[in-house]
Amino acid sequence: LASPSFATWLMGDPIDIDAMLRTPDGRPRCAVVTTAHLDDEQRQAVTSLVLAKLVTWMRRQSGTSDLRALLYMDEVAGYLPPTANPPTKKPIMLLLKQARAFGLGVVLSTQNPVDVDYKALSNAGTWFLGRLQTERDKARVMEGLEGVAVGGRFDRQALERTLAGLSSRVFLMNNVHDDGPVVMETRWVMSYLRGPLTPVQIRTLLPDAKD
C-alpha cells in the first residue's frame, strides 16, 4: 500500500458487479474490462480480482435455470494453463463448475486448446471448434470431446475428418445435450479486424465509462 506504483490502483470506483451488469434504472449493459496496456503480472492481478468479485456476486444469487449474466474471456491461454497455477485459474475453474446453477454463463475462447487445463475443457458443455493448426491441439480437443460425450456417442475418426475439412468461418458445434455435433457457418459481418481496442476507442464506444 505504501508503494508509489500501487497508488493508481487505489483510485477510481470500486468493482461492483451489479453496477457493471445494470444501469441505475435497471437496464442491462455490457461492461468491457481491458488489460491490454498492463504487463503480465498486473493482468493476472486485475483479472483475478474481477473474477473473485464475480464469484462473490454469483454466490449471493438464488438458483435458476435462466441466464442472468454472461462472462466472456477472449484468449484464456495464460489464465487457465494445464500445469501452472496462476491466481486466475481457481476462480475460472469454480465458475465452470458452478456458475450455471446461478444463471451465470461462461464463454472462453482460445486459439491453442493445448494451453488450457483439460479439466476445464471437460466442464464445457458446448464447443465451437474451428480449424486447428497443430496435432497437439487436435489431440487435446479429441480428448476433451471424448470426456464430455454422453452415452458413449463418440466417433473419433468421423470428428477428426470433419475438423480437418473445415474452411474459414465454418465451425463444428458440439453440445452435450444434442445427439451429435453439427457443422455451422457464421454469417458475414462488417469487421476490419483491427485487433484490441485502445483506451480512446473504448471511451468512444462507451462514453459514460470512467478511466
Side-chain angles (χ1 to χ4, degrees), residues 16-29 208 210:
D16 185 339
I17 301 299
D18 283 315
M20 294 171 72
L21 295 176
R22 297 276 178 178
T23 61
D25 58 359
R27 292 179 297 167
R29 63 181 174 186
D208 296 330
K210 299 180 180 179

PDB file of all heavy atoms in Angstrom, residues 16-29 208 210:
ATOM      1  N   ASP A  16     -17.928  -3.194  -8.727  1.00  0.00           N
ATOM      2  CA  ASP A  16     -19.300  -3.522  -8.329  1.00  0.00           C
ATOM      3  C   ASP A  16     -19.950  -4.285  -9.479  1.00  0.00           C
ATOM      4  O   ASP A  16     -20.285  -3.696 -10.509  1.00  0.00           O
ATOM      5  CB  ASP A  16     -20.076  -2.245  -8.017  1.00  0.00           C
ATOM      6  CG  ASP A  16     -21.473  -2.515  -7.469  1.00  0.00           C
ATOM      7  OD1 ASP A  16     -21.997  -3.636  -7.690  1.00  0.00           O
ATOM      8  OD2 ASP A  16     -22.051  -1.616  -6.841  1.00  0.00           O
ATOM      9  N   ILE A  17     -20.117  -5.592  -9.323  1.00  0.00           N
ATOM     10  CA  ILE A  17     -20.651  -6.418 -10.407  1.00  0.00           C
ATOM     11  C   ILE A  17     -22.071  -6.009 -10.761  1.00  0.00           C
ATOM     12  O   ILE A  17     -22.443  -5.961 -11.941  1.00  0.00           O
ATOM     13  CB  ILE A  17     -20.591  -7.911 -10.038  1.00  0.00           C
ATOM     14  CG1 ILE A  17     -19.141  -8.329  -9.756  1.00  0.00           C
ATOM     15  CG2 ILE A  17     -21.186  -8.764 -11.150  1.00  0.00           C
ATOM     16  CD1 ILE A  17     -18.206  -8.143 -10.931  1.00  0.00           C
ATOM     17  N   ASP A  18     -22.886  -5.687  -9.764  1.00  0.00           N
ATOM     18  CA  ASP A  18     -24.256  -5.250 -10.046  1.00  0.00           C
ATOM     19  C   ASP A  18     -24.263  -4.002 -10.927  1.00  0.00           C
ATOM     20  O   ASP A  18     -25.046  -3.899 -11.879  1.00  0.00           O
ATOM     21  CB  ASP A  18     -25.003  -4.966  -8.742  1.00  0.00           C
ATOM     22  CG  ASP A  18     -25.453  -6.242  -8.046  1.00  0.00           C
ATOM     23  OD1 ASP A  18     -25.975  -7.135  -8.736  1.00  0.00           O
ATOM     24  OD2 ASP A  18     -25.256  -6.357  -6.826  1.00  0.00           O
ATOM     25  N   ALA A  19     -23.372  -3.059 -10.622  1.00  0.00           N
ATOM     26  CA  ALA A  19     -23.307  -1.825 -11.409  1.00  0.00           C
ATOM     27  C   ALA A  19     -22.749  -2.092 -12.804  1.00  0.00           C
ATOM     28  O   ALA A  19     -23.096  -1.383 -13.753  1.00  0.00           O
ATOM     29  CB  ALA A  19     -22.438  -0.798 -10.689  1.00  0.00           C
ATOM     30  N   MET A  20     -21.890  -3.110 -12.949  1.00  0.00           N
ATOM     31  CA  MET A  20     -21.342  -3.443 -14.256  1.00  0.00           C
ATOM     32  C   MET A  20     -22.383  -4.120 -15.144  1.00  0.00           C
ATOM     33  O   MET A  20     -22.332  -4.019 -16.365  1.00  0.00           O
ATOM     34  CB  MET A  20     -20.123  -4.361 -14.091  1.00  0.00           C
ATOM     35  CG  MET A  20     -18.946  -3.694 -13.399  1.00  0.00           C
ATOM     36  SD  MET A  20     -17.613  -4.843 -12.987  1.00  0.00           S
ATOM     37  CE  MET A  20     -16.938  -5.175 -14.619  1.00  0.00           C
ATOM     38  N   LEU A  21     -23.346  -4.804 -14.519  1.00  0.00           N
ATOM     39  CA  LEU A  21     -24.353  -5.535 -15.278  1.00  0.00           C
ATOM     40  C   LEU A  21     -25.616  -4.732 -15.558  1.00  0.00           C
ATOM     41  O   LEU A  21     -26.326  -5.010 -16.528  1.00  0.00           O
ATOM     42  CB  LEU A  21     -24.741  -6.818 -14.528  1.00  0.00           C
ATOM     43  CG  LEU A  21     -23.651  -7.873 -14.358  1.00  0.00           C
ATOM     44  CD1 LEU A  21     -24.167  -9.028 -13.517  1.00  0.00           C
ATOM     45  CD2 LEU A  21     -23.161  -8.364 -15.702  1.00  0.00           C
ATOM     46  N   ARG A  22     -25.912  -3.747 -14.703  1.00  0.00           N
ATOM     47  CA  ARG A  22     -27.160  -2.988 -14.835  1.00  0.00           C
ATOM     48  C   ARG A  22     -26.906  -1.500 -14.645  1.00  0.00           C
ATOM     49  O   ARG A  22     -26.073  -1.108 -13.833  1.00  0.00           O
ATOM     50  CB  ARG A  22     -28.185  -3.453 -13.791  1.00  0.00           C
ATOM     51  CG  ARG A  22     -28.611  -4.910 -13.932  1.00  0.00           C
ATOM     52  CD  ARG A  22     -29.710  -5.068 -14.955  1.00  0.00           C
ATOM     53  NE  ARG A  22     -30.079  -6.480 -15.125  1.00  0.00           N
ATOM     54  CZ  ARG A  22     -31.045  -6.885 -15.924  1.00  0.00           C
ATOM     55  NH1 ARG A  22     -31.768  -5.994 -16.602  1.00  0.00           N
ATOM     56  NH2 ARG A  22     -31.324  -8.166 -16.063  1.00  0.00           N
ATOM     57  N   THR A  23     -27.655  -0.697 -15.387  1.00  0.00           N
ATOM     58  CA  THR A  23     -27.625   0.737 -15.183  1.00  0.00           C
ATOM     59  C   THR A  23     -28.432   1.070 -13.921  1.00  0.00           C
ATOM     60  O   THR A  23     -29.187   0.226 -13.423  1.00  0.00           O
ATOM     61  CB  THR A  23     -28.233   1.472 -16.389  1.00  0.00           C
ATOM     62  OG1 THR A  23     -29.605   1.063 -16.528  1.00  0.00           O
ATOM     63  CG2 THR A  23     -27.471   1.147 -17.659  1.00  0.00           C
ATOM     64  N   PRO A  24     -28.303   2.285 -13.389  1.00  0.00           N
ATOM     65  CA  PRO A  24     -29.077   2.637 -12.187  1.00  0.00           C
ATOM     66  C   PRO A  24     -30.581   2.453 -12.348  1.00  0.00           C
ATOM     67  O   PRO A  24     -31.284   2.188 -11.367  1.00  0.00           O
ATOM     68  CB  PRO A  24     -28.714   4.116 -11.962  1.00  0.00           C
ATOM     69  CG  PRO A  24     -27.333   4.235 -12.527  1.00  0.00           C
ATOM     70  CD  PRO A  24     -27.329   3.335 -13.734  1.00  0.00           C
ATOM     71  N   ASP A  25     -31.097   2.587 -13.591  1.00  0.00           N
ATOM     72  CA  ASP A  25     -32.537   2.403 -13.795  1.00  0.00           C
ATOM     73  C   ASP A  25     -32.888   0.960 -14.169  1.00  0.00           C
ATOM     74  O   ASP A  25     -34.022   0.683 -14.581  1.00  0.00           O
ATOM     75  CB  ASP A  25     -33.059   3.364 -14.856  1.00  0.00           C
ATOM     76  CG  ASP A  25     -32.349   3.192 -16.194  1.00  0.00           C
ATOM     77  OD1 ASP A  25     -31.440   2.336 -16.280  1.00  0.00           O
ATOM     78  OD2 ASP A  25     -32.699   3.908 -17.144  1.00  0.00           O
ATOM     79  N   GLY A  26     -31.930   0.040 -14.049  1.00  0.00           N
ATOM     80  CA  GLY A  26     -32.227  -1.385 -14.209  1.00  0.00           C
ATOM     81  C   GLY A  26     -32.020  -1.963 -15.590  1.00  0.00           C
ATOM     82  O   GLY A  26     -32.269  -3.150 -15.804  1.00  0.00           O
ATOM     83  N   ARG A  27     -31.568  -1.168 -16.553  1.00  0.00           N
ATOM     84  CA  ARG A  27     -31.360  -1.697 -17.896  1.00  0.00           C
ATOM     85  C   ARG A  27     -30.058  -2.497 -17.965  1.00  0.00           C
ATOM     86  O   ARG A  27     -29.060  -2.105 -17.366  1.00  0.00           O
ATOM     87  CB  ARG A  27     -31.321  -0.563 -18.908  1.00  0.00           C
ATOM     88  CG  ARG A  27     -32.643   0.161 -19.112  1.00  0.00           C
ATOM     89  CD  ARG A  27     -32.479   1.289 -20.122  1.00  0.00           C
ATOM     90  NE  ARG A  27     -31.546   2.291 -19.625  1.00  0.00           N
ATOM     91  CZ  ARG A  27     -31.018   3.252 -20.383  1.00  0.00           C
ATOM     92  NH1 ARG A  27     -31.334   3.315 -21.676  1.00  0.00           N
ATOM     93  NH2 ARG A  27     -30.188   4.132 -19.869  1.00  0.00           N
ATOM     94  N   PRO A  28     -30.058  -3.625 -18.687  1.00  0.00           N
ATOM     95  CA  PRO A  28     -28.826  -4.413 -18.799  1.00  0.00           C
ATOM     96  C   PRO A  28     -27.792  -3.696 -19.653  1.00  0.00           C
ATOM     97  O   PRO A  28     -28.133  -2.936 -20.554  1.00  0.00           O
ATOM     98  CB  PRO A  28     -29.304  -5.705 -19.475  1.00  0.00           C
ATOM     99  CG  PRO A  28     -30.522  -5.314 -20.235  1.00  0.00           C
ATOM    100  CD  PRO A  28     -31.184  -4.245 -19.409  1.00  0.00           C
ATOM    101  N   ARG A  29     -26.522  -3.942 -19.358  1.00  0.00           N
ATOM    102  CA  ARG A  29     -25.475  -3.331 -20.154  1.00  0.00           C
ATOM    103  C   ARG A  29     -24.242  -4.236 -20.206  1.00  0.00           C
ATOM    104  O   ARG A  29     -24.124  -5.193 -19.452  1.00  0.00           O
ATOM    105  CB  ARG A  29     -25.098  -1.960 -19.616  1.00  0.00           C
ATOM    106  CG  ARG A  29     -24.510  -1.936 -18.208  1.00  0.00           C
ATOM    107  CD  ARG A  29     -24.226  -0.498 -17.831  1.00  0.00           C
ATOM    108  NE  ARG A  29     -23.788  -0.337 -16.458  1.00  0.00           N
ATOM    109  CZ  ARG A  29     -23.594   0.840 -15.879  1.00  0.00           C
ATOM    110  NH1 ARG A  29     -23.832   1.950 -16.558  1.00  0.00           N
ATOM    111  NH2 ARG A  29     -23.186   0.932 -14.633  1.00  0.00           N
ATOM    112  N   ASP A 208     -19.872   6.874 -21.314  1.00  0.00           N
ATOM    113  CA  ASP A 208     -20.096   7.058 -19.875  1.00  0.00           C
ATOM    114  C   ASP A 208     -19.051   6.353 -19.028  1.00  0.00           C
ATOM    115  O   ASP A 208     -19.093   6.424 -17.801  1.00  0.00           O
ATOM    116  CB  ASP A 208     -21.484   6.543 -19.491  1.00  0.00           C
ATOM    117  CG  ASP A 208     -22.582   7.346 -20.173  1.00  0.00           C
ATOM    118  OD1 ASP A 208     -22.349   8.537 -20.436  1.00  0.00           O
ATOM    119  OD2 ASP A 208     -23.656   6.780 -20.422  1.00  0.00           O
ATOM    120  N   LYS A 210     -15.569   5.332 -17.138  1.00  0.00           N
ATOM    121  CA  LYS A 210     -14.586   6.114 -16.413  1.00  0.00           C
ATOM    122  C   LYS A 210     -13.229   5.429 -16.522  1.00  0.00           C
ATOM    123  O   LYS A 210     -13.139   4.215 -16.609  1.00  0.00           O
ATOM    124  CB  LYS A 210     -14.965   6.256 -14.942  1.00  0.00           C
ATOM    125  CG  LYS A 210     -16.297   6.973 -14.729  1.00  0.00           C
ATOM    126  CD  LYS A 210     -16.625   7.076 -13.261  1.00  0.00           C
ATOM    127  CE  LYS A 210     -17.964   7.796 -13.032  1.00  0.00           C
ATOM    128  NZ  LYS A 210     -18.305   7.890 -11.612  1.00  0.00           N
TER     129      LYS A 210
END
